[in-house]
Amino acid sequence: MAAAAAKIAPSMLSSDFSNLATEAQRMLDCGADWLHMDIMCSHFVPNLTIGAPVIESLRKHTKAYLDCHLMVTNPLDYVESFGKAGASGFTFHIEAARENWNELIQKIKAKGMKPGVSLKPGTPIEEVYPLVEGENHVDLVLVMTVEPGFGGQKFMPEMMDKVRRLRQKYPSLDIEVDGGLGPSTIDAAASAGANCIVAGSSVFGAPEPAQVISLMRNRVEGVKAAW
Ligand code: DX5
Ligand code: ZN
């Protein structure tokens, strides 16, 4: 099976939200494949960000793949509105969907979005295997490499064991990592088998975001033959 292609997804959480459309276009011009959108409710994480109305506004300005990461307690409640708003990917947290992930995946697909599942650092990787293997399966697994809630935290290298085990089991799965990714941590993530790389502060904080994006893409493409 063909290895999954590198996808670099700047996290718009680190952008200037007052100029979201311009920031999104700037990232695409710098070579971003996806735009990562962090949706947080303050029950699931100690922070509050954006909802479907913002996705809907942004969608009017771009055709880009909007990779929505929902850090919310009731993801099922958001499927309809995110589908209508024009989200491309809908990645929910397993910790918030242990009772209803099957129904959730079906509804996400019915609304024309790509389902993904994410897990917090403390959640064992085995918990997501049934979601990758089921008849209604997710297209992406997002392994959090920080505690969700805020940008600018330190990458947790011990999460790479989860990525390695997933990659061994699923050679062509989209495996995403999120939190603390940048030039100094990309090699650990890429060699473990991650192909979708979310990066906020390292990209937005760089004088030349295009260089950081291309460096990360090259590192993933360079090691994937060895997965
Ligand atoms: C954290 C978010 C991340 C965050 C990453 O909960 O899911 O997407 O914005 O930011 P950096 O790359 O700065 O760690
Ligand atoms: Zn995220």
Side-chain angles (χ1 to χ4, degrees), residues 9-14 36-40 45 47 69 71 93 142 144-155 177-182 198-203:
S11 169
M12 300 309 290
L13 187 61
S14 291
H36 185 81
M37 308 301 296
D38 285 305
I39 317 303
M40 304 185 189
V45 290
N47 199 359
H69 174 197
M71 290 158 273
H93 267 265
L142 165 49
M144 288 305 298
T145 46
V146 297
E147 284 299 339
F150 299 93
Q153 302 182 75
K154 197 171 166 291
F155 176 78
V177 284
D178 183 4
L181 271 302
V198 177
S201 31
S202 70
V203 169

Side-chain angles (χ1 to χ4, degrees), residues 74-98:
N74 292 306
L76 199 52
D77 294 347
Y78 297 77
V79 175
E80 175 89 31
S81 58
F82 274 73
K84 272 201 188 127
S88 312
F90 186 108
T91 298
F92 58 88
H93 267 265
I94 186 63
E95 300 86 1
R98 288 190 173 112

